[in-house]
Amino acid sequence: MAFGRNAGIVDTGSEVPLFPGAPLLGSLQDLKSDSLGTYLRAQQQRGDVVRVTAGPPGMRAELYCVFSPEGAQQVLASEAANFRKDNSFYQEVRDSIGNGLLTSQDEDYLRQRRLVQPLFTRRRVDGYAGAVAAETASVVAAWEEALDGVVDVSDEMAHLALRAVTRILFGTDVEATADVVARCFPVITEYVLRRGYSPANIPRHWPTPGNRRAAAAMDELYGVCDRIIGRRRRQAGASGPAADGTGSSDGTDGTGDDLLTLLAAARSADDGEFDADELRDQVLIFLLAGHETTATSLCFALHLLARHPEQQDRAREEITTVLGDRPPQAGDLDRLPYLSRVVKEAMRLYPAAPVIGRKAVAATRIGGRTIPAGADVIVAPWVTHRHPDYWPDPDRFDPDRFTPEAEAGRPRYAWFPFGGGPRACIGQHFAMLESVIALAMILRTCSFEALDAEVPVSAGITLRTEGPARCRVRRLDR
């Protein structure tokens, strides 16, 4: 997570304990090398509201970290109006992939949310189960030649999640877009992160090698989206497809029922409709959030099950009992409670959004401490999901932490992989549906043995693997 530039803030929050760093640079090097571990140590050593500094005197940034569930609820929900997406990191994301639901604010955000919300009802999202199942079947079939071999589930689940979200967004245009997204997004996200971490940046229009590589990637990605959007807007017509969940079973039949066509047709008397640039912004955000986050959850669910054969066998027994040989459907989500708990526990240990940043508008008391107006603030699912007051033996993989009885005994924001409050992720039901359907199909066919005991990760725009997650895959005799 990047720091903003806080020059000029009057530190009325001196009572917030400081996490000690180096005399000259504060915690800058620790944050660059291992930000997630630094935040964990800050909570362990200084408590649930902590100041972290980084940079030399005169350019030093200050970050207020809030780690308790109650504090996260204040920042994201009960006092969300006091905490805005005004920091430098979100500005870099806006400048690179547009002002969509992830980055927009105020009336722009409210208008976008009202237009998009009808497309993410449970009924509508359940209609995409067939697309997820079809793409999962393709991945499993591709493993046939490598069964009893080794696959990197990080790479494989990234491929699956990208194919699924691209198919749902673009329908029959999967092949035209998936390769472009896979090639261009890494260049753009690295550029965003590099600028977001820097205390000062050169203008984007200067012809440096980094600026030129990023501009070329954005031009290519924008170009393919704009071409497909133009075609969809011409096809949508005045009546457009229904946004209430009626239509094809998977939203990919090429008859105008893919998500992009529905976005192009979305309109209301009060909010109008999306113009071409707004459509592209939404598409880019959905591509980013819709494949990187689910890929992370699927990767670590498989890797954790591969390290814990007893839990893997228990999940598989539930799958075979419920499904038999038939393909999974949306209605099976509630019939696979243990597999759903596996996904939730993977999201606890490896939240796709490990750190969430905000800018304080007004001074706010959290946990008996004062966050000053103008301060950069983070809440960190990575830390809160490991808080020992709410998660005994927090590093242990235990899906039964998510039985209904166990969940009822914890604060609402002890687990918040989808954020919360008015900015909660609009796609959380889709993420759960996709993860459970994909895992059900994979585990029914294959068994997994982990070859890498640990998978190093870092905080990018989303959680990123920094090494392989290799598993030996064997086909099950049915």
Side-chain angles (χ1 to χ4, degrees):
M1 179 63 199
F3 288 100
R5 270 62 86 177
N6 285 338
I9 288 180
V10 176
D11 183 9
T12 60
S14 58
E15 65 182 279
V16 175
L18 175 66
F19 180 61
L24 182 61
L25 296 178
S27 297
L28 180 62
Q29 294 305 317
D30 289 337
L31 289 166
K32 283 188 172 182
S33 62
D34 181 16
S35 63
L36 299 177
T38 301
Y39 295 140
L40 273 174
R41 291 191 297 274
Q43 191 278 328
Q44 291 163 358
Q45 296 177 26
R46 288 294 186 268
D48 287 339
V49 183
V50 186
R51 284 185 298 139
V52 177
T53 62
M59 297 181 66
R60 179 157 294 178
E62 190 168 51
L63 187 65
Y64 288 75
C65 308
V66 177
F67 299 128
S68 69
E70 297 80 7
Q73 185 165 6
Q74 282 184 257
V75 172
L76 297 178
S78 61
E79 299 185 53
N82 283 348
F83 298 95
R84 295 171 52 81
K85 292 190 171 186
D86 281 340
N87 60 34
S88 58
F89 179 80
Y90 279 114
Q91 188 57 52
E92 293 296 337
V93 177
R94 286 185 197 98
D95 290 343
S96 295
I97 56 175
N99 195 39
L101 276 176
L102 177 66
T103 53
S104 60
Q105 298 194 104
D106 304 324
E107 184 52 40
D108 279 348
Y109 172 77
L110 294 174
R111 173 177 170 269
Q112 291 176 20
R113 184 91 180 199
R114 288 191 297 265
L115 285 169
V116 170
Q117 187 70 60
L119 311 186
F120 281 86
T121 63
R122 187 181 183 101
R123 185 181 179 189
R124 165 56 64 186
V125 170
D126 285 352
Y128 295 129
V132 174
E135 291 300 336
T136 305
S138 296
V139 168
V140 173
W143 291 348
E144 293 283 348
E145 297 179 2
L147 288 175
D148 295 326
V150 175
V151 299
D152 182 347
V153 294
S154 177
D155 288 344
E156 294 294 315
M157 294 303 98
H159 173 74
L160 168 58
L162 176 57
R163 291 276 308 184
V165 75
T166 305
R167 179 171 179 164
I168 289 164
L169 265 172
F170 297 122
T172 55
D173 289 301
V174 173
E175 304 300 337
T177 54
D179 288 346
V180 173
V181 173
R183 183 171 60 254
C184 294
F185 253 130
V187 176
I188 296 169
T189 54
E190 286 298 328
Y191 183 67
V192 168
L193 291 172
R194 185 166 62 250
R195 291 177 66 87
Y197 274 115
S198 175
N201 286 305
I202 62 172
R204 283 174 171 247
H205 66 270
W206 286 15
T208 65
N211 280 352
R212 287 158 60 184
R213 280 193 300 272
M218 284 185 274
D219 285 346
E220 184 176 7
L221 184 60
Y222 283 28
V224 72
C225 290
D226 286 345
R227 287 191 294 275
I228 296 172
I229 287 167
R231 187 159 64 247
R232 287 298 189 281
R233 287 178 69 83
R234 291 190 295 272
Q235 293 170 347
S239 58
D244 62 356
T246 59
S248 73
S249 61
D250 65 8
T252 63
D253 63 1
T255 61
D257 205 23
D258 55 73
L259 184 54
L260 175 56
T261 300
L262 296 172
L263 284 167
R267 58 179 56 84
S268 75
D270 294 330
D271 298 311
E273 60 185 328
F274 291 126
D275 64 27
D277 288 344
E278 290 174 321
L279 269 176
R280 185 216 300 139
D281 289 351
Q282 302 306 330
V283 165
L284 291 172
I285 292 297
F286 291 155
L287 283 171
L288 172 68
H291 92 270
E292 290 196 356
T293 56
T294 306
T296 297
S297 300
L298 285 170
C299 165
F300 284 106
L302 279 176
H303 184 257
L304 288 163
L305 289 172
R307 290 175 52 200
H308 298 85
E310 182 178 344
Q311 286 88 338
Q312 184 180 164
D313 289 343
R314 184 176 170 186
R316 185 176 294 111
E317 182 180 359
E318 179 184 75
I319 293 163
T320 55
T321 299
V322 171
L323 299 180
D325 292 324
R326 69 173 175 82
Q329 302 169 352
D332 293 319
L333 192 62
D334 294 333
R335 302 185 190 103
L336 296 167
Y338 186 74
L339 188 58
S340 296
R341 296 201 293 271
V342 167
V343 173
K344 288 183 176 181
E345 177 71 340
M347 291 177 174
R348 180 186 72 84
L349 288 166
Y350 297 95
V355 180
I356 300 170
R358 294 290 189 267
K359 177 83 76 173
V361 174
T364 308
R365 294 285 288 182
I366 296 180
R369 310 289 189 178
T370 299
I371 306 293
D376 276 309
V377 179
I378 68 156
V379 294
W382 182 268
V383 178
T384 308
H385 289 185
R386 290 169 167 76
H387 199 301
D389 289 353
Y390 310 99
W391 305 99
D393 193 6
D395 293 325
R396 178 170 55 90
F397 174 63
D398 181 7
D400 284 334
R401 297 180 195 270
F402 290 92
T403 62
E405 298 78 15
E407 287 190 288
R410 287 190 296 268
R412 162 65 183 84
Y413 281 77
W415 182 81
F416 58 111
F418 301 107
R423 301 298 301 249
C425 175
I426 199 171
Q428 53 189 288
H429 176 58
F430 173 72
M432 287 298 300
L433 178 75
E434 181 178 6
S435 297
V436 170
I437 285 179
L439 287 172
M441 295 185 67
I442 291 168
L443 291 172
R444 185 172 59 181
T445 306
C446 305
S447 67
F448 293 80
E449 175 190 354
L451 300 182
D452 296 299
E454 299 292 337
V455 180
V457 295
S458 65
I461 296 179
T462 59
L463 189 71
R464 305 190 300 177
T465 57
E466 295 293 345
R470 295 172 300 166
C471 292
R472 187 172 302 282
V473 184
R474 294 185 175 89
R475 183 173 183 83
L476 294 170
D477 293 328
R478 301 292 311 279

